[in-house]
Each structure stands twice: as C-alpha cells, then as structure tokens.
Amino acid sequence: MGTDVDLTTEVLACVVQSGFLSPLLLFRWMFVILLSAMPWSWFFGLRKLRMTRLEATIAALCVHSIHSWRKFGLELDAFQEYGIFTQAYGMAIFPLAAGFLYQHVVYNSGSRNATILLVILNFTAHAFFGIYLGIVTAVTLVVDLFTNPLPFARKLSSPSIWRAVNVHFISVALLSWWILPLLKNFNYIGGLPWKNDSENGYKFEFVLRNLLSGEMFDHGRKFPFITLGCLAGISCICLTYRKNDENYHFTEKQMLFIWLGSLFAVTGFLFLGRNNFRSAVRLDTVS
C-alpha cells in the first residue's frame, strides 16, 4: 500500500516537473474529478443508510442542482465562484462518513477501520463537516435509544453507544496532532457556528418563508423540484411515527425516517444561530 502511494506521488511529481502538466492544471483536473465523483459518493453514502437505489439515485442527482438565495458553500456555483475547495472535499466525503458511521453504530455492520478513516478524512477536509458529523452521531444515538424497545436502564448500556464512543475516541486520538493546535488558537478561528455573536443566524420566520417559497434549495428556478421533494420527505417522516408492528418495533425504514427528521430539526435549530436562541430564552423568561 505504501509503495503504491509513493509510486503515485513520484509519477505526479515527474509529470509536474517535466512541464507536461502545470500545477494549476493538475489542481483543476483534481477538482473536476472531485465534482464528477460527488454524486457517486452521495449515492453510496445514502445506500449505507439503507435507502433504496431509487431514493439514493434521486438524492444524488440533486446534489449539483441546489441553488440557495445565499451561497452557503454547498452549491456548485459557490464552488466555482468562491473557490472553497476544501468545503467541496468535505461535502464529497461527508455522506460516506455519515453512512458508514450510521450502519456501524446502529447495525454493527461494515468496517470499523473504514469508518474511522472516513471520519478523519471528513474532519481534515473541512472542520464544519467534522463538527456536524459529531452532531450526526449524537442524533443517531438519541434516535437509536428512542426506537429501542428495551427498558431505559438497559438502553444506557446499549452496544451502539460503545461503538460510537470507540469510533470517535480513536478518531480524536489520531487527529490530536491537528486538534490540539486548533484548540490552542481557538480565539483566532473565525466563522465557527455559534462561536461569536456575529454568527447570528436567521429568524425562524425568515427560514420558514425561504424554505416554503423555494429560495432555500431552488433559488431562481421556476419549478422548485428539490423543495417539493423536501416537503414530501417531511410528510413521510411525520407519517413514520405510526407503529405498525404489534410488538412496537421500528422497521429500518421507520428508523431512517425518524433519524432524518430529527437531524433536519436539529440542523434547523442550529441554523437559527445563538442570538436568536438567546432572544427566545429571554422572552420565555420575561413571560
């Protein structure tokens, strides 16, 4: 494995040094390959979440079709205009990391080492996606405990908790060379969600209006097909809470929908920002 990597590095170095391929052109080709592979990474990641081929295919085809009223860095035109290449790498790796993590924690399937590798790659590609993957893990554990029919005392010793702790403990240990300097210079890091008052977020009414009007996912598009798909998915999630099993066991599909709905709710809450949350708390206190 190491020999293959060294050989690949030497070949690339020879190609660049010979003048056959300039470093800038090589960089651009790597970015083109990344963008071309991104729908496939989403497809395989969503398949790890136990989605059907049709569901994963439709979602993967929409990856490069997202257009928001503000370029958050998850859109194709944002990659092209802003040049936020590390965020593009994070967006390509994130679905694979989330999928492997979900199947390993919930179903104890898949490779633990591959999961750890993807978690590390996801974090080093872009810190935002690394932090968000931690939130994904927390939501996964909460949903797993909620859908587990065992008594609450036994839920706390669930193997899924230990699998999640094991993966993240090893990942953080291997990332310590990067995390420790990051924490040491934390005051100089800008843009982290909820870190400063400047990351105010958006008011709930504004977010809801942009979501329903199509500005969130289909800005400038006459037919907001991604928004309609999102609203249809939310409807399916709401209907999923009905238990059809006489033993009150949740099926894989029900658990997936509950997980997606919970993650959507948590993401929306974080999207509001710390100041809006603080204002809401103050209003409740006054009332």
Side-chain angles (χ1 to χ4, degrees):
M1 180 68 180
T3 305
D4 294 339
V5 173
D6 293 340
L7 180 60
T8 304
T9 305
E10 291 178 4
V11 170
L12 289 175
C14 291
V15 170
V16 172
Q17 292 174 2
S18 64
F20 177 75
L21 188 64
S22 68
L24 179 59
L25 185 59
L26 176 63
F27 173 79
R28 288 176 174 174
W29 269 111
M30 291 177 63
F31 195 59
V32 168
I33 294 173
L34 172 70
L35 294 180
S36 302
M38 191 178 295
W40 287 103
S41 70
W42 276 85
F43 173 80
F44 288 116
L46 296 176
R47 287 288 289 159
K48 291 293 182 181
L49 294 175
R50 308 295 175 96
M51 285 190 179
T52 64
R53 290 183 181 273
L54 179 61
E55 293 168 343
T57 300
I58 293 175
L61 290 175
C62 292
V63 169
H64 288 322
S65 299
I66 299 174
H67 290 281
S68 182
W69 90 94
R70 177 184 173 184
K71 296 181 178 67
F72 290 99
L74 305 177
E75 307 89 348
L76 180 61
D77 51 352
F79 298 147
Q80 296 170 333
E81 183 174 337
Y82 296 154
I84 41 182
F85 305 113
T86 56
Q87 197 152 317
Y89 279 93
M91 188 173 176
I93 299 172
F94 173 77
L96 291 173
F100 271 77
L101 191 63
Y102 181 88
Q103 73 164 2
H104 179 69
V105 171
V106 177
Y107 299 110
N108 193 25
S109 62
S111 170
R112 186 200 65 170
N113 293 338
T115 303
I116 293 173
L117 176 62
L118 287 169
V119 170
I120 292 174
L121 290 176
N122 179 72
F123 211 112
T124 53
H126 201 282
F128 281 12
F129 286 100
I131 295 171
Y132 190 64
L133 191 63
I135 297 173
V136 169
T137 305
V139 171
T140 302
L141 290 177
V142 171
V143 171
D144 183 50
L145 295 177
F146 172 74
T147 56
N148 194 328
L150 294 175
F152 182 75
R154 294 183 61 185
K155 289 181 180 181
L156 296 179
S157 59
S158 172
S160 60
I161 296 178
W162 299 111
R163 287 193 291 268
V165 171
N166 181 265
V167 167
H168 282 285
F169 179 81
I170 296 176
S171 300
V172 170
L174 294 174
L175 282 169
S176 58
W177 62 273
W178 185 80
I179 293 178
L180 293 178
L182 179 74
L183 295 177
K184 184 178 180 180
N185 299 279
F186 186 74
N187 292 332
Y188 301 97
I189 300 173
L192 285 176
W194 289 56
K195 178 175 179 285
N196 301 313
D197 289 340
S198 59
E199 282 79 47
N200 191 19
Y202 302 92
K203 292 187 178 299
F204 176 77
E205 298 83 1
F206 179 79
V207 174
L208 183 62
R209 183 172 63 251
N210 279 348
L211 175 63
L212 297 178
S213 64
E215 292 296 301
M216 184 73 75
F217 300 114
D218 299 282
H219 175 68
R221 187 176 290 138
K222 293 183 178 180
F223 181 69
F225 62 92
I226 297 181
T227 301
L228 293 176
C230 180
L231 295 177
I234 294 175
S235 301
C236 292
I237 289 169
C238 294
L239 296 175
T240 297
Y241 284 96
R242 298 178 58 186
K243 301 177 184 179
N244 299 322
D245 193 306
E246 60 180 3
N247 296 321
Y248 297 99
H249 290 166
F250 286 87
T251 64
E252 289 184 359
K253 184 63 68 176
Q254 285 177 316
M255 182 171 179
L256 174 61
F257 281 176
I258 294 173
W259 179 80
L260 289 172
S262 303
L263 191 60
F264 182 83
V266 171
T267 304
F269 172 75
L270 295 174
F271 197 62
L272 299 178
R274 58 185 290 181
N275 287 347
N276 290 324
F277 174 72
R278 189 183 300 162
S279 300
V281 172
R282 280 200 295 265
L283 288 175
D284 291 341
T285 304
V286 172
S287 59

